[in-house]
Amino acid sequence: MKTSIPIVVAFVAVICSVNANSLPAAKSSHGCGQALPDGISVDKSVNLTLDSANGMTVRKYRLHLPKSYDIGTPAPLILSFHGRGKDGKFQEELSQFSNASYGFEGISVYPEGLPNAKGTQQYQGDPDSPPSINDVAFTLELLDHLQGTYCIDTSRIYAAGKSNGGGFTGLLACDTEATKRIAAFAPVSGAFYLQANQTLPACNPSRKPVHIMEFHGFEDTTISYAGGINTRGNANSTDIVTWVDDWARRDGFDVAANKTSYLCKGKKKVTRYSWDDVVVHYNYTNLNHDWPSSFANGDTESRLTCEEAEATRIILEWFKKWTL
């Protein structure tokens, strides 16, 4: 990533997402017009389960409908994936997508990973994840259920996640079927693990470009910015610059043609790299393995950023730009 002026590039494939200045009409899901299921109400989070055919019969997730939810008005949806060893409730409190003060008037869903042999919950992509579990298939299965139950704008479905959940968000961005249904992706402190042959998993999105934004602390000692062995000593992750640059190339950009800008000041300096706002990366000088926040959030108590560089605030504003 180098500091320079962005250039306009020609995309070979059809661009499936458009800027918010020319957003098409909402695409209603089959759940529009249906009464809310028993036990579900607006402005209240609830833990739910889904019968699954992808590795385990019952899967858990947490759901929050905004106060503004209306059964006849298609609403955007964010899937927010927790980090290894966490759960849906923790991820809800961490990401704050259910917090009305951030202004998101959509549905937020917090899927839960499955425990490994040691009882630690994680998603596909982690080196300890059971190979029998297909979390990508579960995510698509969950989307089917949500779209058939609630009034969702199927052109405005998004994915974000922290750590292992961020790495899994990256897997979704590379999946042929998931990229037909999810408009933009935002991994935070993503754990992008290399395979046994020390290469990243295959990446075969169904469209070009894929809108993707990554956040990472430069002082991350759990998933190092420079890549390398994880704290468990059982797998290597890629360095973040390579991962971001790969996405810039995949989306048709010249890697050297990014626009570099800065947020915050002093020790909290944040460097932003952007390729036409399609591929974006935030490097936080002072943060470790954190969800960037200006206040203590259960993830970080003392390593804070300035308000303008909060991950939640940036993600929500950026998601609004894109639709399928």
Side-chain angles (χ1 to χ4, degrees):
M1 295 180 290
K2 300 179 181 179
T3 304
S4 58
I5 303 299
I7 61 173
V8 177
V9 295
F11 295 112
V12 178
V14 176
I15 296 178
C16 296
S17 297
V18 298
N19 190 276
N21 291 329
S22 57
L23 293 180
K27 298 179 182 178
S28 302
S29 70
H30 294 304
C32 291
Q34 294 190 29
L36 291 179
D38 292 341
I40 306 297
S41 59
V42 300
D43 202 25
K44 182 179 179 181
S45 298
V46 59
N47 292 323
L48 299 167
T49 60
L50 176 70
D51 289 338
S52 173
N54 292 292
M56 182 168 279
T57 302
V58 178
R59 296 296 301 261
K60 299 177 181 179
Y61 67 98
R62 189 170 174 85
L63 170 80
H64 182 270
L65 300 180
K67 190 174 182 179
S68 60
Y69 178 79
D70 180 271
I71 62 171
T73 304
L77 166 69
I78 294 179
L79 299 171
S80 184
F81 298 92
H82 62 74
R84 182 176 181 271
K86 305 301 182 182
D87 59 20
K89 186 175 186 296
F90 184 91
Q91 182 62 18
E92 179 179 36
E93 294 170 351
L94 180 66
S95 66
Q96 295 285 303
F97 293 138
S98 302
N99 184 344
S101 67
Y102 277 101
F104 179 56
E105 295 187 348
I107 301 168
S108 49
V109 174
Y110 309 88
E112 292 198 2
L114 289 173
N116 60 21
K118 297 179 180 179
T120 304
Q121 279 195 161
Q122 79 280 285
Y123 299 104
Q124 180 181 345
D126 184 89
D128 287 334
S129 177
S132 60
I133 303 301
N134 188 332
D135 284 317
V136 173
F138 161 63
T139 299
L140 299 177
E141 192 176 51
L142 178 59
L143 281 178
D144 288 341
H145 169 72
L146 294 170
Q147 291 175 196
T149 308
Y150 305 98
C151 193
I152 294 170
D153 182 349
T154 60
S155 69
R156 293 189 294 160
I157 296 173
Y158 310 99
K162 161 73 193 298
S163 190
N164 170 222
F168 179 65
T169 300
L171 293 181
L172 290 174
C174 282
D175 184 77
T176 302
E177 293 304 315
T179 47
K180 293 176 183 178
R181 303 179 66 175
I182 300 174
F185 304 82
V188 178
S189 299
F192 307 116
Y193 281 109
L194 300 174
Q195 301 177 106
N197 63 0
Q198 300 307 296
T199 62
L200 284 166
C203 191
N204 300 298
S206 59
R207 70 175 196 266
K208 182 178 180 179
V210 171
H211 302 89
I212 194 156
M213 172 181 281
E214 203 275 343
F215 303 76
H216 222 95
F218 192 64
E219 296 187 4
D220 193 331
T221 57
T222 301
I223 300 297
S224 173
Y225 196 90
I229 198 74
N230 63 5
T231 54
R232 285 168 281 159
N234 65 350
N236 287 312
S237 61
T238 186
D239 69 279
I240 300 304
V241 171
T242 295
W243 189 87
V244 174
D245 286 353
D246 281 352
W247 268 110
R249 279 189 287 267
R250 191 174 292 121
D251 277 344
F253 292 98
D254 177 354
V255 170
N258 75 83
K259 179 179 180 182
T260 305
S261 55
Y262 305 94
L263 297 82
C264 310
K265 297 178 180 179
K267 294 181 179 180
K268 293 183 178 180
K269 180 180 177 181
V270 179
T271 305
R272 181 183 191 270
Y273 303 93
S274 172
W275 287 265
D276 203 24
D277 217 27
V278 172
V279 178
V280 188
H281 170 57
Y282 288 84
N283 176 329
Y284 291 77
T285 301
N286 68 315
L287 295 191
N288 200 309
H289 193 59
D290 305 313
W291 183 283
S293 174
S294 65
F295 56 88
N297 60 3
D299 191 29
T300 176
E301 303 304 312
S302 58
R303 287 180 178 257
L304 305 177
T305 191
C306 61
E307 189 172 296
E308 67 172 335
E310 288 183 340
T312 301
R313 190 178 307 278
I314 292 171
I315 289 170
L316 289 175
E317 284 300 311
W318 185 73
F319 278 170
K320 287 193 296 186
K321 293 175 178 287
W322 312 113
T323 184
L324 289 177

